[in-house]
Amino acid sequence: FNKNIFLELDWRNKMKKIMLLLIFFISILFINSCFLHGTFEEQIHYRVDGDGGNLINLDFDDEYLCIDRNCGYDCPENSKFIALLGGVPGINRDLHFEAIPDDGYKVKEWIVNDQIIEDNVSNLFTINIVSDEDCEPTIIKVRFEKISNDNVE
């Protein structure tokens, strides 16, 4: 009966467990969509809430539908998103959007993270995005309303 063999097997099992834990923690670090090589990713989701027009961003040529890119959030089919690598927390960036009403519609309101932006019924909207560590997306919506026939003379 050799005790050294059991000690060696016990040591190997412990090392395997340590390696598995190390691999697990490293994979969590890289799977986390927010943190990537010291940068923070800000996701900006934007869409029309209801009917009556379209919403485009004016800063990027590419528009990605959330449903096509698996953005990680439960977005409606018409939701688009932009993913910005912000560098370090505190970096500011202005993003510009244009609401394009269908014939007979106008902008009713802009909404950011479920907060109505008061006194803005313009077709253009600018938002300042600040990188932070919370990784919560910014959700921008525009609502349209039909133009009332009461205003037409």
Side-chain angles (χ1 to χ4, degrees), residues 46-48 64-68 74-80:
Y46 56 103
R47 67 177 177 265
V48 173
Y64 302 111
L65 288 171
C66 292
I67 198 167
D68 292 339
D74 188 22
C75 296
E77 287 186 23
N78 69 334
S79 187
K80 302 170 190 172

Side-chain angles (χ1 to χ4, degrees), residues 9-152:
L9 289 175
D10 190 3
W11 181 82
R12 285 183 184 173
N13 285 336
K14 286 181 183 178
M15 287 305 293
K16 284 181 185 178
K17 289 177 183 177
I18 290 171
M19 291 300 290
L20 286 173
L21 283 172
L22 184 61
I23 290 169
F24 173 75
F25 286 117
I26 289 172
S27 65
I28 286 176
L29 179 67
F30 286 106
I31 289 172
N32 184 348
S33 66
C34 178
F35 185 76
L36 180 64
H37 302 293
T39 62
F40 293 90
E41 179 181 87
E42 294 293 330
Q43 284 194 14
I44 295 82
H45 297 250
Y46 56 103
R47 67 177 177 265
V48 173
D49 191 22
D51 296 326
N54 193 13
L55 177 60
I56 61 171
N57 79 75
L58 299 175
D59 298 298
F60 298 94
D61 293 333
D62 297 329
E63 292 187 323
Y64 302 111
L65 288 171
C66 292
I67 198 167
D68 292 339
R69 293 295 176 117
N70 191 19
C71 72
Y73 297 92
D74 188 22
C75 296
E77 287 186 23
N78 69 334
S79 187
K80 302 170 190 172
F81 82 99
I82 304 166
L84 301 174
L85 291 179
V88 294
I91 299 295
N92 293 314
R93 180 173 188 159
D94 283 345
L95 293 177
H96 307 87
F97 296 88
E98 181 178 8
I100 304 170
D102 291 341
D103 288 339
Y105 284 85
K106 65 179 182 177
V107 171
K108 177 182 178 183
E109 58 197 4
W110 290 90
I111 303 163
V112 176
N113 293 337
D114 293 325
Q115 299 293 315
I116 295 173
I117 305 301
E118 299 294 329
D119 301 322
N120 186 355
V121 294
S122 167
N123 287 5
L124 299 175
F125 179 69
T126 300
I127 186 169
N128 183 263
I129 302 295
V130 179
S131 287
D132 59 22
E133 297 179 14
D134 72 1
C135 299
E136 292 297 319
T138 300
I139 299 172
I140 300 167
K141 300 183 233 177
V142 64
R143 287 186 183 141
F144 296 100
E145 65 182 349
K146 287 188 177 187
I147 298 172
S148 171
N149 290 334
D150 297 340
N151 297 334
V152 179

